[in-house]
Amino acid sequence: MTTTPTRTVPPYRSALHPAHAGFGRLLRAEWTKFWTVRAWLLVLAVAAVVTVVICQLGASGSSVSGGPPVVVGPGGEVVNDSFRFTHRALTGDGTVTTRVTGLTDRSGRGLGPWTKAGIVVKSSLKPGSPYAAVMATPGHGVRMQWNFTHDKAGPSSDLTKAPQWLRLKRLGEKLTGYASVDGQNWTQLGEVRVGGLGRTVQVGLFVAAPAREVVHRSFGGTSSIAGSGQATGTFDHLTLQGKSTDGGWAGTDVGAPDPNGPNGQPGTTTVSPTGTYTLTGQGDIAPDETSPDMVQMSFQGVFMGLLFMAALGTLFVTSEYKRGLIRTTFTATPSRLKVLAAKATVIGAITFTTGLLATAIGFTLAQKTLRSNGFRPPEFPDLSLLENPALRAVVGSAVLLSLVAVLALAVGVVLRSSAGTIATVVVLVILPQILSFALPLPVAQWFLRATPAAAFAIQQGFTYYPQVQHNCLPEAGCYPLTPYHGLTVLVAYTAAALLLAAWTVRRRDA
């Protein structure tokens, strides 16, 4: 029997430099694929135009006019600064001490958790002026707060069960707060520097009862109970160490009484023969979080732009599966994971660059329109494109658009169906946002924590401070997660989808 000798075929070796035969070559190939398909370029251009146009239309439909004068704090933020103040002038350094013996509700709605009774050092009686205060609250224990946006927790003592001793010491611009349960053993709450106090300041007792609104939402609708509070605080053992030119303590309402409060009545101060001070007042000393979010109002077009970016990410891979071209790609490049990485890199870079240009233009035009519609300083400060929170929202929105495109690409690898992929991405990213407007609040907030829709939090321009009680309503643009934490949820979903796509592309035939 005659045997035919076999010939060993040597493995293929590319004549190209390894850098050109590797990932760099794949990037160029995928880049070329994208730019040679006119339909994809058209979708990309339409996505940018639609994003800008809807941002502009959304801003054009928003306007504001009139309203009471706003109070601006030391940092330029809009604040609430209205409370009952029993005070004396202090020249130079000194220390004020008191014991808060009780805090009761006068409005009939119950004490709010951030109702406050304590002592304050304030540069003047002008609303919005610098200050530092130590206080007892019904729901959050003893606190030290200064200049409206800063808050530090002290002992979580229950004022309704035991009196609280408070002390505030001034040494120049350095203010130190203390608390005690017996007036003998003191715990330091904090030491802060407050600029702009001046040599003579106003020191004394204060009471504030913030306005409250309790919102309930069920499948049948939304209801709310709103109204201002009014509280009475009692104090004794009031002492002031330091130089004062005043002959005694005077009572003042800092800021006008809330016209929506109980009869809009001013506060009162009474002093008993035994030295017990009783203050009744309303209002709040805190950031004002009731104004519209001008940053978020400038990005309404991103919601529609997502649909186009999801379509691009989907078609960038499913079109090859549909026409069988993916086999050619995998034959030319056996490393399928490199192909997936190159596709994700290219579509991510293209959509991010386009999204960044669209959101920057859309934000700039929307801000100009909002200004012409009454959104002007000081209530609505000028926002520079290159400073936070505007810069974070612009770049973050571009990242959001890019991540959705990459998520769609990964889902497309798994499903290999254009319609199924787009529908899946819409259900994951857009549907939770829409449902959150109608679902009961706990369910809506869960959706905005656990789904990729949490990433829309990156567009928030407001800082929601923990020392202000507020209802976080999705329709008002409030998200339960911080901007970066919300975006991280979408990053996690995209990473998981890419891992699933990598597993799928290696296990399945092309």
Side-chain angles (χ1 to χ4, degrees):
M1 181 176 65
T2 303
T3 59
T4 302
T6 59
R7 184 176 63 176
T8 304
V9 180
Y12 170 76
R13 293 286 186 269
S14 172
L16 297 174
H17 187 276
H20 296 288
F23 193 66
R25 179 179 63 83
L26 281 176
L27 288 177
R28 179 190 292 182
E30 296 300 330
W31 180 270
T32 302
K33 285 179 186 177
F34 186 91
W35 289 105
T36 53
V37 180
R38 293 182 179 179
W40 295 350
L41 295 177
L42 179 62
V43 172
L44 188 66
V46 171
V49 171
V50 166
T51 299
V52 173
V53 169
I54 296 184
C55 286
Q56 179 70 357
L57 290 176
S60 299
S62 303
S63 63
V64 65
S65 61
V70 298
V71 177
V72 178
E77 64 284 333
V78 178
V79 300
N80 291 312
D81 196 11
S82 174
F83 58 96
R84 183 63 182 178
F85 193 16
T86 297
H87 58 95
R88 293 179 70 177
L90 171 66
T91 301
D93 301 332
T95 302
V96 58
T97 304
T98 193
R99 183 177 70 161
V100 186
T101 58
L103 187 59
T104 58
D105 170 56
R106 291 292 299 273
S107 67
R109 300 179 179 89
L111 285 174
W114 281 110
T115 303
K116 305 164 185 176
I119 53 179
V120 61
V121 172
K122 192 169 176 62
S123 67
S124 71
L125 299 179
K126 179 183 177 182
S129 57
Y131 78 95
V134 291
M135 64 199 70
T137 69
H140 300 280
V142 176
R143 320 290 293 193
M144 182 173 184
Q145 296 180 356
W146 63 102
N147 283 359
F148 303 96
T149 59
H150 303 285
D151 170 75
K152 188 172 184 180
S156 56
S157 303
D158 189 346
L159 181 60
T160 62
K161 295 181 179 179
Q164 301 297 316
W165 287 80
L166 304 175
R167 175 174 289 170
L168 194 55
K169 180 179 180 180
R170 183 200 183 191
L171 184 61
E173 292 187 344
K174 184 174 71 175
L175 291 157
T176 308
Y178 302 88
S180 172
V181 294
D182 56 12
Q184 300 295 324
N185 302 298
W186 293 88
T187 299
Q188 181 173 316
L189 303 177
E191 182 179 278
V192 300
R193 289 193 174 273
V194 179
L197 286 178
R199 178 165 173 75
T200 299
V201 296
Q202 296 292 324
V203 303
L205 311 174
F206 80 95
V207 167
R212 290 189 296 154
E213 182 181 18
V214 180
V215 177
H216 298 281
R217 182 196 289 162
S218 63
F219 289 104
T222 301
S223 63
S224 65
I225 302 174
S228 296
Q230 190 177 46
T232 295
T234 54
F235 309 79
D236 60 14
H237 296 284
L238 173 61
T239 61
L240 174 62
Q241 298 175 350
K243 181 180 178 181
S244 177
T245 57
D246 294 340
W249 298 94
T252 302
D253 282 320
V254 175
D258 187 346
N260 297 319
N263 302 319
Q265 294 295 323
T268 60
T269 299
T270 60
V271 186
S272 73
T274 59
T276 297
Y277 289 77
T278 303
L279 278 66
T280 298
Q282 54 186 300
D284 199 7
I285 314 174
D288 186 348
E289 298 183 351
T290 60
S291 299
D293 189 340
M294 267 193 72
V295 174
Q296 197 170 52
M297 291 166 64
S298 302
F299 292 98
Q300 298 182 50
V302 173
F303 194 78
M304 289 299 298
L306 284 177
L307 293 174
F308 294 92
M309 297 307 187
L312 273 178
T314 300
L315 295 174
F316 194 48
V317 66
T318 57
S319 60
E320 288 196 56
Y321 276 107
K322 182 178 180 180
R323 297 188 175 102
L325 297 177
I326 197 70
R327 296 188 187 93
T328 304
T329 301
F330 287 155
T331 300
T333 308
S335 178
R336 297 184 177 188
L337 295 185
K338 283 187 177 181
V339 173
L340 176 62
K343 284 183 175 294
T345 301
V346 168
I347 197 64
I350 290 173
T351 52
F352 172 77
T353 304
T354 305
L356 185 61
L357 180 63
T359 53
I361 294 174
F363 174 81
T364 303
L365 295 178
Q367 286 289 302
K368 184 177 180 181
T369 301
L370 288 170
R371 291 275 174 252
S372 64
N373 288 351
F375 293 87
R376 302 186 185 94
E379 183 174 3
F380 302 98
D382 286 320
L383 299 172
S384 170
L385 180 62
L386 299 180
E387 295 180 0
N388 284 331
L391 180 62
R392 181 252 298 155
V394 168
V395 177
S397 294
V399 173
L400 169 60
L401 293 169
S402 176
L403 287 172
V404 168
V406 176
L407 175 65
L409 175 96
V411 175
V413 170
V414 176
L415 299 182
R416 300 186 181 184
S417 165
S418 299
T421 298
I422 294 174
T424 300
V425 174
V426 167
V427 168
L428 286 174
V429 182
I430 296 179
L431 187 60
Q433 176 82 351
I434 297 173
L435 291 177
S436 67
F437 295 166
L439 292 172
L441 284 179
V443 179
Q445 292 181 354
W446 182 87
F447 267 108
L448 296 180
R449 283 189 178 97
T451 69
F456 285 102
I458 198 66
Q459 297 172 350
Q460 285 187 154
F462 257 14
T463 299
Y464 291 96
Y465 294 94
Q467 68 268 28
V468 181
Q469 186 180 17
H470 65 277
N471 296 293
C472 190
L473 302 177
E475 59 268 31
C478 178
Y479 289 82
L481 297 179
T482 64
Y484 291 112
H485 288 161
L487 189 64
T488 301
V489 174
L490 177 57
V491 171
Y493 270 87
T494 304
L498 284 172
L499 290 174
L500 180 60
W503 181 85
T504 302
V505 82
R506 292 189 64 182
R507 296 286 180 175
R508 283 188 193 169
D509 292 333

